[in-house]
Amino acid sequence: MKIAFVSSEVYPYAKTGGLADVSGALPKELAKLGHEVKVFMPKYYPVSEYEYNLHYDNYIGEMKIHIGGISHNTHVFHGYMPDSTVDIYFIHNPHYFHRQQIYTDNWDEDERFILFQKAVIESIQRMGWSPDLIHCNDWQTSLIPLLIKDNYNWDKLFEKTATLLTIHNIGYQGRFSQETLSKTEINGKYFYPNGPIEMEGDVNFLKAGIHFADKINTVSPTYANELLTPEYGAGLDNSLWQRKGDFSGILNGVDYSIWNPEIDKHIPNHYSINDLSGKSENKKFLLKHFNIKYNPNVPLIGIISRMVVQKGFDIIAEVLNELMGLEAQWIILGSGESKYENMFNVLVYKYPDKIGVYIGYNNKLSHLIEAGADIFLMPSHYEPCGLNQIYSLKYGTVPVVRKTGGLADTVQDWNEYNSYGQDIGNGFSFYEYSGKALLQSVNRAINDFHNKLIWPKIQYNGMIKDYSWHHSAEEYNLLYKRTFRK
Ligand code: ADP
């Protein structure tokens, strides 16, 4: 099939979270399955033509993209995704995409992604390439199904084009005031109370995608079920209910050419399921980096996360003193809400021999933490898929998670599964969203860390799991076929 894969972030070019990892890996796997894939993303300021060998696409040339009747000159750069022959196209418009961050709270955030989506469609037109399927990801791309069904339906190129929308996180919907409607140039007939693109008087991009895409999926089976409930649906549960027959969950894969302790290029000591000695060396290295004394009998707990409520920082805060009272060491990497950043900065002053904190984004350190920590904590309030717990499993770093979304689909609680007589537990989990439940699970993990018979078994159960993209890509392959047939 001919597939256009559209995403606002793609690793290694631009990343704020898991969406980039997915967009960097899935298209390459799809190409291996025989699909012709073309990836589209914005050309943000740091995306270097020199570093990635990108070339101005003369064939596409200069496009005049309309936003509310005003035209904006836009170009395209072309390249190939790393270690592959998959085409990637970068929508180039410095006015909109050369900003400090990938996502902003600037007044024209809506315009940035209206331009992106229209420019993707018009690039495809200029190529004269008729995709069988356009795979949209999150709100930044979710007007495309409506745009090609309506605004661009005069073009026979899209006559047979199917659309799939993947929801990576329902917490971000692309909600803007009613004025945005005229900027999109979408027909006003779609905007009415509780209609396909309206929410409480606002325009809602994600809602439009849910309504008009031929199929919709999200990034784990459990999250798909959760999204149909008011608790997790963030106001879109009814819209999803209406599309229930077309809605499913496919667990993300991970890229083991990047996240594998046997070959990880960011860690000083490689190790494998057969010999974990390199892991202790990495722990020493990591602790030294933070000036904390190494002690093989004290477990090191790692956190790598956006510091927002979604990731469970409010329940960590609830029991912070109790956590610091445990016989454990901590390395924390992340950035986000300043109250959580400050909370950890204060802890470093209070407990310098116990906790190391890096506020910011640091890819190398994220690999080092996975390789050096004994336990990984991820107490998310909700988690569409979650990647770090899957990396942790591969690195023999036992995850402690809240049982939600993709965390519930990948982490089996050691005690719970053992009570069924199965020796398959690979981590620890808790259901109730509270500091108390979190603390209990961390305590269970620390106790078992000291049990030299049990702990290697838990690590082993995680390390043998295979969450490579290969499986997930096969599932997308089937979903594409179903979407196209529809
Ligand atoms: P989300 O997409 O909700 O942020 P995921 O677990 O799906 O969460 O993916 C997060 C990705 O971003 C992982 O690859 C993780 O290692 C990375 N990451 C998150 N915060 C940081 C950080 N501060 N520094 C480096 N990598 C980070």
Side-chain angles (χ1 to χ4, degrees), residues 373-392:
D374 298 299
I375 294 169
F376 190 85
L377 180 59
M378 202 161 164
S380 306
H381 183 213
Y382 72 91
E383 194 58 70
C385 174
L387 290 171
N388 276 113
Q389 86 282 9
I390 308 182
Y391 303 152
S392 299

Side-chain angles (χ1 to χ4, degrees), residues 182-244:
S182 59
K183 296 187 195 173
T184 62
E185 299 175 342
I186 283 169
N187 192 323
K189 73 178 181 191
Y190 298 113
F191 187 83
Y192 55 88
N194 298 318
I197 61 175
E198 193 270 0
M199 186 187 253
E200 295 163 347
D202 290 341
V203 175
N204 186 313
F205 284 23
L206 193 65
K207 189 174 183 187
I210 291 172
H211 194 91
F212 290 102
D214 294 309
K215 294 266 180 199
I216 309 135
N217 82 310
T218 186
V219 291
S220 69
T222 297
Y223 192 56
N225 290 332
E226 287 173 346
L227 286 186
L228 295 169
T229 66
E231 187 186 350
Y232 290 96
L236 291 175
D237 40 301
N238 273 332
S239 302
L240 284 166
W241 260 108
Q242 286 167 22
R243 300 293 319 273
K244 194 166 180 282

